[in-house]
Amino acid sequence: MKSIKKYLYSVIVVSAFLVVNVAADESVSNTASPEAIAEAEKLLSNMDMEAILGQSIAQQLDFQIQQSPELLPYRGVMQAFLDKHMSYASLKDDIVDLYSTTFSVQELKDISAFYSTETGKKTLQKLPGLTHMSNQIGNERVQENLEELHQMLENAAKLVEGSKPI
């Protein structure tokens, strides 16, 4: 049960980090034109974002189970949760909004044009695997240095315990 909480906590932390980074980007406007929304939807369709996101979620779940085999009996429950809250269907409107407020109509058209090329198609094909491998590299690096994190947290806890409330 502790590993399940740890896994869900890591999903929440990563999600919060992504939300904070998007909110901190001052180039993102709050409204999009209908043309930008249409172009963003077209781009996401051309990118086959639904398949890419689904594959990425499955790979991340498999990786988490590989790292914590005790989660295997809960795979179905975790998959159902992720399908409900992280699937393309549940995130589509937000992703469209993100793209349509981040990029201009012309930029969305340019990106679509790129993904229509052979190089763009290869990029889309390889991106989930590259993302997965990048995540593995990062996770391995963190695992290799967990003792350093534990020491940093212990030092910080000592400072917090020694401080007086303001």
Side-chain angles (χ1 to χ4, degrees):
M1 188 59 108
K2 184 177 179 183
S3 293
I4 295 169
K5 288 181 183 178
K6 180 180 165 186
Y7 171 74
L8 292 176
Y9 177 74
S10 67
V11 169
I12 291 168
V13 168
V14 169
S15 298
F17 176 73
L18 293 173
V19 169
V20 168
N21 278 338
V22 170
D25 185 352
E26 295 178 14
S27 68
V28 176
S29 68
N30 292 328
T31 58
S33 69
E35 186 180 7
I37 292 169
E39 284 299 325
E41 288 176 340
K42 182 177 167 184
L43 170 62
L44 295 174
S45 176
N46 289 344
M47 292 173 62
D48 200 10
M49 184 60 80
E50 184 171 7
I52 290 171
L53 189 56
Q55 184 180 6
S56 179
I57 290 169
Q59 287 175 339
Q60 187 61 29
L61 183 56
D62 289 342
F63 180 75
Q64 290 297 323
I65 290 172
Q66 178 186 353
Q67 295 297 307
S68 303
E70 65 273 12
L71 294 176
L72 184 59
Y74 306 101
R75 187 184 203 300
V77 172
M78 293 183 338
Q79 184 69 54
F81 176 84
L82 293 172
D83 287 346
K84 180 178 180 182
H85 297 288
M86 298 292 292
S87 68
Y88 182 67
S90 72
L91 298 175
K92 180 184 176 194
D93 290 342
D94 294 319
I95 296 171
V96 167
D97 185 57
L98 179 65
Y99 274 73
S100 64
T101 57
T102 301
F103 299 105
S104 70
V105 171
Q106 187 57 53
E107 289 168 335
L108 291 165
K109 289 178 180 181
D110 292 345
I111 296 166
S112 286
F114 169 71
Y115 284 132
S116 297
T117 68
E118 290 305 311
T119 302
K121 290 175 185 175
K122 182 176 181 179
T123 300
L124 288 172
Q125 179 187 32
K126 299 293 183 180
L127 194 58
L130 291 170
T131 301
H132 175 68
M133 288 185 278
S134 296
N135 287 340
Q136 277 188 308
I137 291 168
N139 287 333
E140 288 169 7
R141 185 71 47 86
V142 168
Q143 291 295 322
E144 291 168 1
N145 296 287
L146 273 179
E147 187 55 42
E148 179 183 350
L149 174 61
H150 289 163
Q151 186 62 50
M152 291 171 70
L153 291 171
E154 285 179 16
N155 292 342
K158 289 175 187 174
L159 289 174
V160 169
E161 289 172 7
S163 68
K164 294 180 182 177
I166 297 176

